[in-house]
Every structure is written in C-alpha cells, then in structure tokens.
Amino acid sequence: MIPLRFKVDPLPVDEPIVTRLRAADAPDAGPFDAVFLGADGPVSEFDLAGFPLRLHDAPIEDVEDDVILVLPGQASAHRLIRAASPHNTLLVTERCDQLCLMCSQPPKRHHVDMFPHFREAVRLAPRDVYIGLSGGEPTLFKEDLFRFLLDAIEARPDVRFHILTNGQHFEESDVETLASIPHDRVLWGIPLYSHVPARHDEIVVKPGAFDRLMRSFAILARAGAAIELRTVVMKPNAPDLVALARLVTTRLPFISVWALMQLENIGYGRKNWNDLFLDTSAPDAFAPIAEATDLVRARGIQALLYNFPLCTVPAAYRSLAPRTISDWKQRYLDACTTCSARGACSGFFEWYPDDRGFSGVAPL
Amino acid sequence: MADRKADLDAENSAAMEVEIEPALSDFAGAAVTRLGYLHPRATFNVRDHVIVVEGAIGDAPTMRRDVLHALYRERISDRGEDLRTRLIEGLLSR
Amino acid sequence: MNVWPLKFRPTHDGAILFADDAGGFFRSDGAFLDRYALGALTGSDREFLSANGHAFETEGDLDHTGFAYRWASRQAAAGDLAYVILVPTLRCNLACSYCQVSRADERARGHDWTEETLKAVIAFLDGLKTESIKVEFQGGEPLLRVDLLERVRAFCRRRFKSAEFVVCTNLQRLGAAEWAFIDAPDTFVSTSIDGNVATHRAQRTITDDKTEEFFSNLDLALERLGPGRISALPTIDVEAPPPAASVLDTYARYGIRSIYLRPINYQGFARKRHAALNVMDRWNAIYREFVDLMIERNAEGGETFEEYYLVHCLRRVLRTGQDGHVDLRNPNFLGRDYLVLDHDGRFYPTDEARMMTRIGQIDLSVGDIFSGLDTSKLDALNAHATNLFDPDCLHCPYQAFCGVDLVDDIAREGRIDGPKIHTDFCRRHTFMFDLVFELLYSRDPKVRRSLAIWAGVPDLPYSIAPEHA
C-alpha cells in the first residue's frame, strides 16, 4: 500500500503547516516550500523556512511536489496531495447523516475544520490535478464547502474537483451558487441505490432520504451541475437495477455518467459483507447489470463499472470497466500474475476477502 | 354482429354516423375540420350528437376509428395546451 | 398527477403507440386510449405513466425537471456557420442518367468560379466566426478544378484551428494533382457506387473504359486512403433497382458497411411523372427489402451492415441531441450553420434549394458571395422552421424525433404552410419511424441483434420498448 502518512520528527510550531516537498534543485521554490536537503538513512531532510523537517521512509523521488500537512506536536504528517497520483482525496469531515449499509468509512461525531489547510493545499497543488472531496458528508458544512470551491476554482483554473455527497442538503437557494461553478470544474458523485424509495432509505439508513435526494437532483439539474450517479450493486438492490435504469433515463437524463460499483470490504461493508456482496461473476448474476447498462447506453447516457475486476465481467462489457480502485488501496491476487489484462484492470481492494469474494477470478 | 351489420349498411349507403361522447362534444368542430383534409374524398358534418360521414368512406371500421381518434386528438391537445405553453415559456425564461 | 400530452398512432399489428413531446414512448391498446382520452385513468395507468416519465406532481419536481431537460435537449441549437458546401464548377466528365440539372458539359464555358469569385469566397470564409470548419466540395465534378480546391484548402488550413475537407467526386480521371489532393489526411472522399457494377455502368459510366477506370480508381483510393476516409452511397432507380444482395456484396467488397440508400431525386416534370407511378410506395418496399437483408446478414455474425439513415432515425428515437444530420432536425433554421455556395457565387440554404432554382421552379437563392446573405428571405423561410406548433405534427407521436424540411415542402407542394401530412417529407419520415418502432417492438432475435449493433450496445433489452397493458 502507498502510505498516506509519514512519520515526522515533531516540529517546534504552534500552528498547523501546509507545505510542498521540493527537490533540492527546484528552481521555483517558494516561501511555503520545503526544499530537500538530503537523506539521512531512511529519513529525508527538508528545509522548511529555516526549520529542519524530517520525514521517515519518504524517499524524495516518491514524494517530490507532494503537499503535506504537519500538525503541531504530532508525529505524523498527512499527505494531502500526492503529485504522482491521480487519486487524491481530501476528507472534509467524518460526520454524516446517513449510515449506509456498505459505508467504507463509517462516520464519527468528531469534526475538525480542515478547509483552511485545503485552501493552502490547492494553492500548492501540481498542475491539472483532480482533487476528490469526501467524508463523512461534505455538505454538512455546505457554506464552507461552497466558499472553498468558489475560491479554489478562481485561484486555480487548472484544478478540477470530484465531490462525494449524499445529496441531502441542497436547497433552492443554492441554485445560483451551484450555477456559478463551471460544469467542467466540479463533478458531484451522488449515490442512488434503488427506484423504490423505501429500499433506498433502508440501504442508507435514513427515512425520507430518497425523496430528499430527488429534490436535490432537481436543484442540481436546474443549476446545470455535473453529476456522477453512483450505485453500489448489492444483493438487496440488484433486482432493482433495470427499473432504476428506467428512472435514470426519464428523471435523471442530465447526469454525466452512471457508475455501477462493486462493494468494498471495509467499514460497514466488511461487517455486512455476507448480506450485501453480490458475486457478479457467478452465472446470470451479471444479467441485471448488463440490461441496466444496455438500457441507459442505448439511450445515450454513459454507464461505467467501477471496482469490477475485468475477469468478473462478461467480455462484451469489459470496456465499461476502467481502472478505478485508488492506487493506495489496490492490489492484485496470485491469479493475476499470469493475466494479460492486468494493466487495464482495477484489480482488487487491499482488503478484498479472497475466501468470500468472486467465484470467477481467472487470468485473461 | 350488430356492429358488422351497421358497418355494412354504412358501406352500402356511403354514409355513416359516429356517436360523439359527451366528453368529446366540444371538440367535434375541430375534429371535423381536420378529418376534412385527412380524407379529402369524404365529407364530415356534426349533427346533434353524431358526426355524419358521407362520400368515400372506404373501410367502415377504419373510418369509425379515424373519426374517434380525431376527436380524441383534439381533446388531448386542448387539455395539454396549458402544460405545453408553460413548459416552453418556463424554458425560454431561463 | 399531471400527465404530459400523449400523441398516439395505431401500429401495423393492432396496438397503439404513444409518445410525448420529449420523446418518451410506449405501446398500449385501445382500451387504454379510451381511458386516457376520456380522462378515466386507473391507478395502474398512473403508476405506469409516472414510472415511464410521462407525468409529474408539481412543476419543478424531479419528474418535471427530467422531462423539461429531455424536451430541451431535443431542440436543435444551430451554432455558428461552420459547414460550407462549395460548388467550384458545374462541369462534369460523366453524364449520369439522373443528373440532368446539376451538371454542365465538361467542355462548356462559364460554369466555373471566376478569379473574383474565388477571392470573394476566401474573404467570406475569412469573416466566419467559427474556429473549426468543414468544407465540402461538390459539383459538377469538383476535381476538374483541383487548382481552386487547393487554394481554398490551403487558406482554410491557415485560417482555422481545425479544418476538414470532403470531396464529392466520381473518381473518374485522377492525375497526379488529383491524387495529391485526396491523399491529404484532413481530406475525405465521398463517391457513388450505384449498387453493383452493372447498375453503376448503366446509370453512370456507360462505357467499359469508364467503368473500369472508376473501379480501379476506387481500389487504389481504398488502398491509399484506407476505408475510414472513403464513403460511398448508391443512388437507386425505383424502376430498375439492383438486387439488394448484390449491393451489399459490392459494398462489403470495398469494406463499406454503412450504406446510405437514396432514391433518384426526380425534379420538375420527371418528378410529376414519377409521382403518378407511386414512387414513394415502391421506394419504401425496396428500402424495406434492403433493411431485411441487412438484418439477416447481421445475424450471421462477421462484419455487419447498417443503413445510415435508418440508424440515424433509430438514434433520434432513443437519444436526445442527435442533430448532426441537417436534413432531420427541429427546429431546422436555414442559412445558419451551413450554406451552399454555387458556381456562380450564389448562396443557397440547401443543395435541394440549388437544384430547384436551377430548374426554374422557384428562386430559392439567398443572396450571393459579393453582396452577402439575403436575410429577409431567410427570415421569411425560417418563420416555419419548427414543427412544434404545426397542426398536424402536434398530433403525431413522431414529432419529437422528426424535423422540418422547408425546401422539400416547397419543392413538392409549392408552399410551406400547407398540411404537413401531405408532404413527401412527412410520408417518408412516417414510414421511417413506423419502421423504427416496428423493429423496436419486434421479438425476432435477428432484429434484436441488428438493433443492438445499430444502437451501439452489446444487447438491446426488450425493456427499451415499454408496453402497458
């Protein structure tokens, strides 16, 4: 796994520091940059405005141009933005008002306002970076989120955002703000699990969530927001997929893409794995996914399969399954060693349970 | 059986009557106007609660259906006009 | 619950097809029609209509918003002028049987752009707002003036960020200069293969030498350009159509799998004579035979065929935003995003308008390259550019998928405000959409196979075509 934190020798500071790790010869190093001095065994030493910044197991070739956050008195530094990765996600909060059965990151009450650090991080981010914002539920702090987004897209015209939200908090009064964000700068990733309101509510464990979500979709549509609709395919909702596809074509024709997703075996997803996981590689199990994607794609709406290993997908649908598992939590199985499709494949989550997973894993 | 006899009669006499349901009576005039150019070789007149078709009727059940459908279409578009107008105005005002 | 107005039409097999203004559709029966038209919907009717996107509760709710979005996406938005059809010469080195009006003898004088015309064309192109241009060279045989083509192309390559060129050529006499022109990767060839060798010869090339010249040039062009840069279409004589199988075989031999079948477009007296012979019905029967054969062949596996316009109509039924074909879109404003510029410097809104003017039926030119576009004439035409309010189209379930062809209306009817239902445009497209829906509701696995190919998905589920009992 790629580390998202480094051990750091605590800095003598009172305030959190966001800084960018630069090579020794970086010609444009600025006042907020930490410039590489040299390696001391496993420790990389940087000059941070006169202070020594010592990161453990962070070779300069791996971390160059990364943006990190160092908190006062803490022995670890957070890698906010990894320059070499297409998967950078900033955690806005750990609070959430849903308790989705498959949640990979169960919510906590605790909340620290990280926006000031994110603002710095975006300013220091490498060119053209695509930044994810996640949680918890980011729109629980909607006003802060909007202010951050508006500032960021103005300060950095090259940076784009992908925001995961449960869509429970958009109001009519947000239309103007949302509409002021250019369509191609922010993609809202929003889950919908069923066309049956009660089933969606059961899965996200919040009564009334479906109806509230439908209201938010109408608001986002009027604002011209870009939407990635996300549906984790599980035992309880797989039979609904075709009807859900019809809902997508009639009520949600404005979405940018519909992502059908495989389950992640962590958080509540691990706890509920046996009740939820659908082995889509088993005979006929893929059929509702095939029909749902055929339906919306024939209607001109893009559909993709996220987190599906290619060998578990029928050949005709493999082109819909891009590599989506983030690099830091992705792995391959022994069976993958001889697979010719490995370079194009999502592979498996780090925490994929070999003994309770797909029956159809085989090298292609 | 009764229907078939009525239709045969209609063929023979080259005239037929199609009853207008009360819900459709407001639309008989518009339907007759449209039927007139859809079937230029037949004539259509509203009389009391019927539409009288004369001339080249052709297949009687088909003509009966066409007359009924013309009435339906006028009613549907009349009932839908407000929705249509509001939709277009709503989109144009954005 | 509010139900959006549904248009309906009986189908060939006794059902009734319904569609709304946003292109949502389903099939049901006469009993449902009675309930709907008389305002007596049942609970299950309402449930179906809501799930299938034909209803909403309150204005601005998601059902209403989704419908409005789909409706709006079906309205064609004409962008800047970015597509010009240029006719640098009317002269041609063939004398095809069906092309009397749009050509002049190869040795005739006064049928080419003058130097002044060329300069005015270049000044006109220079003044366009677009950064991306598509130029189609037509004729006559445009390659007879490859010198003019070269100069236009060289200018466009300099002036625009992206430029694409299409030469509509008979591929007859190709010398070094002509080959050099079509060899360029930004240049595409559009030619005619009239079905099979025998028909091509009968209708176009007449002599052995010219027939041989064409087919060997076609081979050479495919070798040099690859099949991706060459398209071809057959012009079919309804009175002597080539066998469908021989046409598919011929096209397959040249690696061309998308065939745009077109009937001979008779003009003037020829049109009147052929109208009496019920050309439309005969053409539709021939067309159907081709489509059925393609469906058979596609079910056999291997390389597949499509009829270009049928696939376009299918996609217009299934999807929004399919406005790339200027003959079928709504509204269809003339003189906006594309224009035809004739050999004498006159502008026309469409190629059909150019033909009609040439035969003296009516003057549909809209200005010229020296004095500019005649906007008042265009405005008068464009007052009828939408089918939204047409009293016939308003009742037609195909309205959302269909379009407007003002020039065709004038060509056939002599007026643009006559009943649409009597126009050739209406009859042709009613046939096309009847066919599309017949196929969509077919249970024949072979039909499903072709539909899936044409819709670009591995399999086309039956649920794409909803039915309400």
Side-chain angles (χ1 to χ4, degrees):
Chain A
M1 270 213 312
I2 296 167
L4 298 186
R5 291 178 180 206
F6 297 119
K7 185 166 178 262
V8 62
D9 294 350
L11 284 174
V13 291
D14 305 327
E15 294 290 321
I17 289 176
V18 175
T19 184
R20 178 170 50 181
L21 306 176
R22 305 304 304 274
D25 52 358
D28 57 340
F32 298 97
D33 288 343
V35 180
F36 185 62
L37 295 172
D40 176 9
V43 175
S44 295
E45 202 168 51
F46 294 84
D47 170 14
L48 175 56
F51 292 106
L53 172 69
R54 291 168 54 84
L55 294 177
H56 295 247
D57 301 313
I60 183 65
E61 59 273 20
D62 291 352
V63 300
E64 184 180 352
D65 292 337
D66 281 7
V67 180
I68 63 165
L69 167 68
V70 188
L71 294 167
Q74 280 203 7
S76 66
H78 300 256
R79 266 175 117 178
L80 294 180
I81 295 172
R82 289 171 298 133
S85 172
H87 307 287
N88 284 293
T89 298
L90 304 175
L91 200 73
V92 171
T93 181
E94 300 208 72
R95 284 190 200 160
C96 190
D97 55 330
Q98 294 189 160
L99 288 168
C100 304
L101 296 179
M102 82 306 292
C103 182
S104 60
Q105 210 147 6
K108 295 172 188 161
R109 290 203 58 77
H110 183 68
H111 173 72
V112 181
D113 180 9
M114 298 287 281
F115 279 117
H117 310 317
F118 294 166
R119 218 174 286 262
E120 280 299 295
V122 168
R123 213 174 50 78
L124 297 172
R127 269 202 71 77
D128 299 324
V129 77
Y130 194 24
I131 297 176
L133 293 173
S134 180
E137 175 46 46
T139 61
L140 288 177
F141 303 89
K142 194 173 66 181
E143 300 312 320
D144 295 337
L145 174 69
F146 283 164
R147 210 169 309 124
F148 164 76
L149 284 175
L150 292 174
D151 289 352
I153 60 178
E154 197 186 314
R156 287 296 302 267
D158 57 315
V159 173
R160 293 176 304 137
F161 294 93
H162 177 249
I163 306 173
L164 287 177
T165 171
N166 60 23
Q168 295 292 300
H169 305 281
F170 294 107
E171 299 288 347
E172 291 293 336
S173 53
D174 297 328
V175 168
E176 207 178 318
T177 308
L178 287 164
S180 70
I181 299 170
H183 186 87
D184 58 348
R185 300 295 302 282
V186 173
L187 181 65
W188 300 91
I190 305 178
L192 172 63
Y193 297 105
S194 173
H195 68 297
V196 182
R199 189 126 56 241
H200 176 85
D201 292 358
E202 278 163 31
I203 289 173
V204 303
V205 195
K206 183 182 171 191
F210 179 92
D211 290 341
R212 185 61 186 82
L213 182 54
M214 295 299 119
R215 222 184 100 204
S216 288
F217 278 134
I219 291 164
L220 290 162
R222 262 198 298 289
I227 297 169
E228 171 196 60
L229 188 73
R230 298 162 71 93
T231 304
V232 178
V233 178
M234 299 167 290
K235 280 179 192 161
N237 69 339
D240 296 346
L241 286 183
V242 174
L244 184 56
R246 184 157 70 160
L247 184 151
V248 169
T249 61
T250 56
R251 295 188 212 168
L252 300 171
F254 41 80
I255 61 168
S256 303
V257 58
W258 184 22
L260 293 154
M261 306 171 59
Q262 253 300 355
L263 187 64
E264 196 172 345
N265 180 50
I266 196 162
Y268 294 155
R270 185 199 299 271
K271 202 175 73 180
N272 296 321
W273 181 265
N274 290 346
D275 296 331
L276 300 181
F277 176 71
L278 182 73
D279 175 8
T280 43
S281 68
D284 300 331
F286 193 81
I289 298 174
E291 184 167 350
T293 57
D294 286 339
L295 258 181
V296 302
R297 292 179 63 229
R299 290 291 204 158
I301 295 169
Q302 198 191 3
L304 292 173
L305 304 173
Y306 288 4
N307 313 339
F308 281 74
L310 289 178
C311 57
T312 68
V313 175
Y317 296 86
R318 283 183 197 143
S319 63
L320 306 184
R323 288 186 69 156
T324 43
I325 298 180
S326 305
D327 52 3
W328 61 271
K329 55 177 179 179
Q330 186 258 8
R331 70 179 173 114
Y332 292 106
L333 310 185
D334 289 346
C336 306
T337 324
T338 58
C339 179
S340 62
R342 195 173 147 138
C345 182
S346 255
F348 297 80
F349 286 105
E350 180 64 34
W351 29 80
Y352 168 77
D354 297 57
D355 52 338
R356 292 185 296 156
F358 298 101
S359 56
V361 174
L364 295 175
Chain B
M1 207 50 191
D3 266 4
R4 259 180 71 188
K5 187 175 176 303
D7 292 338
L8 282 175
D9 289 345
E11 285 269 82
N12 294 338
S13 64
M16 68 187 289
E17 295 186 348
V18 182
E19 212 174 304
I20 307 167
E21 292 220 26
L24 301 171
S25 57
D26 290 352
F27 309 102
V32 158
T33 306
R34 189 152 186 276
L35 284 162
Y37 71 80
L38 293 177
H39 297 277
R41 300 192 312 127
T43 60
F44 299 83
N45 289 291
V46 185
R47 205 171 295 155
D48 297 328
H49 301 294
V50 294
I51 290 177
V52 182
V53 191
E54 290 165 301
I57 288 172
D59 179 50
T62 305
M63 177 60 85
R64 188 178 296 282
R65 186 194 72 183
D66 284 0
V67 173
L68 184 66
H69 284 182
L71 286 162
Y72 280 178
R73 289 190 172 108
E74 295 304 332
R75 185 177 192 268
I76 291 164
S77 66
D78 179 77
R79 292 293 153 98
E81 199 181 330
D82 187 44
L83 284 180
R84 283 195 166 112
T85 309
R86 290 171 71 93
L87 174 74
I88 295 173
E89 281 174 358
L91 287 166
L92 290 180
S93 71
R94 270 191 208 162
Chain C
M1 188 173 83
N2 301 283
V3 178
W4 295 102
L6 296 167
K7 286 81 68 87
F8 64 91
R9 174 176 171 81
T11 67
H12 70 291
D13 55 353
I16 298 178
L17 180 81
F18 292 84
D20 61 32
D21 291 353
F25 63 88
F26 64 96
R27 262 169 55 138
S28 190
D29 54 20
F32 169 79
L33 173 61
D34 293 343
R35 294 197 297 276
Y36 166 62
L38 297 171
L41 292 174
T42 64
S44 93
D45 291 338
R46 288 164 179 277
E47 211 170 289
F48 173 83
L49 291 172
S50 170
N52 209 43
H54 308 289
F56 66 96
E57 289 298 334
T58 52
E59 231 167 273
D61 69 12
L62 186 61
D63 289 14
H64 185 270
T65 306
F67 185 93
Y69 182 89
R70 285 184 283 127
W71 186 93
S73 322
R74 284 189 177 274
Q75 309 305 311
D80 293 333
L81 182 57
Y83 176 21
V84 288
I85 298 171
L86 306 181
V87 182
T89 177
L90 207 58
R91 294 179 301 115
C92 188
N93 47 6
L94 285 183
C96 305
S97 55
Y98 46 76
C99 180
Q100 299 311 315
V101 293
S102 56
R103 72 173 290 279
D105 189 84
E106 188 182 351
R107 289 147 301 182
R109 299 173 64 102
H111 294 282
D112 293 15
W113 283 352
T114 61
E115 188 61 27
E116 288 68 45
T117 314
L118 175 69
K119 285 192 175 127
V121 169
I122 284 177
F124 175 76
L125 293 173
D126 200 19
L128 297 183
K129 265 192 265 172
T130 182
E131 282 303 318
S132 162
I133 189 115
K134 182 174 171 183
V135 179
E136 183 174 319
F137 296 106
Q138 277 198 19
E141 168 52 45
L143 285 177
L144 291 181
R145 290 307 305 271
V146 68
D147 58 320
L148 295 175
L149 271 50
E150 285 285 9
R151 286 165 71 186
V152 170
R153 186 171 71 177
F155 172 77
C156 288
R157 284 173 174 167
R158 280 200 310 274
R159 163 65 181 75
F160 299 100
K161 272 202 187 111
S162 76
E164 192 181 293
F165 308 89
V166 180
V167 198
C168 301
T169 170
N170 60 27
L171 288 180
Q172 286 304 140
R173 253 194 335 259
L174 300 182
E178 289 78 12
W179 278 116
F181 187 81
I182 63 176
D183 271 339
D186 59 0
T187 302
F188 297 76
V189 166
S190 171
T191 191
S192 292
I193 311 173
D194 276 2
N196 56 28
V197 177
T199 317
H200 192 87
R201 182 194 154 114
Q203 293 180 178
R204 293 180 62 84
T205 43
I206 313 297
T207 67
D208 283 345
D209 286 354
K210 285 192 165 173
T211 310
E212 162 62 24
E213 184 183 47
F214 168 74
F215 282 100
S216 66
N217 279 341
L218 181 60
D219 278 327
L220 196 54
L222 280 159
E223 198 184 303
R224 292 171 76 137
L225 282 66
R229 272 175 48 215
I230 299 180
S231 66
L233 55 84
T235 302
I236 309 273
D237 182 352
V238 285
E239 300 196 32
S246 75
V247 177
L248 299 200
D249 291 344
T250 306
Y251 274 73
R253 217 193 102 213
Y254 294 103
I256 301 170
R257 298 288 171 171
S258 178
I259 307 179
Y260 188 2
L261 295 167
R262 299 219 290 196
I264 290 177
N265 184 6
Y266 292 106
Q267 301 286 349
F269 286 122
R271 163 170 287 170
K272 290 207 175 83
R273 183 172 66 82
H274 284 270
L277 297 171
N278 220 351
V279 168
M280 177 81 74
D281 290 344
R282 292 169 68 174
W283 167 250
N284 288 348
I286 294 166
Y287 185 86
R288 183 64 204 246
E289 199 185 314
F290 271 94
V291 170
D292 287 343
L293 185 65
M294 286 183 179
I295 289 169
E296 281 297 321
R297 293 272 180 98
N298 290 349
E300 289 163 9
E303 293 279 348
T304 57
F305 290 97
E306 65 168 36
E307 199 288 311
Y308 168 85
Y309 202 64
L310 178 63
V311 170
H312 183 65
C313 289
L314 172 71
R315 291 192 182 146
R316 277 189 65 87
V317 166
L318 295 178
R319 301 175 188 172
T320 62
Q322 303 290 304
D323 296 318
H325 192 86
V326 295
D327 291 348
L328 189 62
R329 53 184 187 174
N330 184 63
N332 197 1
F333 291 109
L334 299 177
R336 293 273 171 89
D337 53 357
Y338 79 110
L339 261 184
V340 181
L341 178 56
D342 207 359
H343 70 99
D344 56 4
R346 287 207 278 176
F347 286 123
Y348 293 93
T350 68
D351 205 38
E352 174 95 358
R354 176 170 75 103
M355 305 279 188
M356 282 176 59
T357 307
R358 244 194 111 56
I359 59 171
Q361 196 166 340
I362 184 173
D363 181 4
L364 284 175
S365 63
V366 288
D368 63 63
I369 194 79
F370 307 106
S371 53
L373 273 174
D374 182 345
T375 48
S376 62
K377 199 162 178 179
L378 278 172
D379 289 346
L381 286 167
N382 281 333
H384 299 268
T386 173
N387 71 20
L388 281 184
F389 310 107
D390 181 273
D392 287 314
C393 303
L394 198 62
H395 295 301
C396 178
Y398 304 149
Q399 183 185 31
F401 322 121
C402 199
V404 177
D405 187 340
L406 296 171
V407 172
D408 197 49
D409 290 355
I410 298 169
R412 322 252 165 185
E413 314 299 325
R415 53 193 289 190
I416 44 180
D417 56 351
K420 280 276 187 289
I421 210 154
H422 294 155
T423 63
D424 267 23
F425 182 84
C426 177
R427 290 171 60 206
R428 190 154 48 91
H429 287 91
T430 303
F431 167 80
M432 290 302 296
F433 291 117
D434 278 348
L435 177 56
V436 166
F437 279 98
E438 184 192 324
L439 297 175
L440 276 173
Y441 280 90
S442 167
R443 295 261 149 185
D444 181 346
K446 290 178 178 171
V447 171
R448 309 308 296 179
R449 181 79 210 106
S450 277
L451 284 179
I453 294 161
W454 298 338
V457 287
D459 191 23
L460 196 68
Y462 290 120
S463 47
I464 195 99
E467 303 212 42
H468 175 54

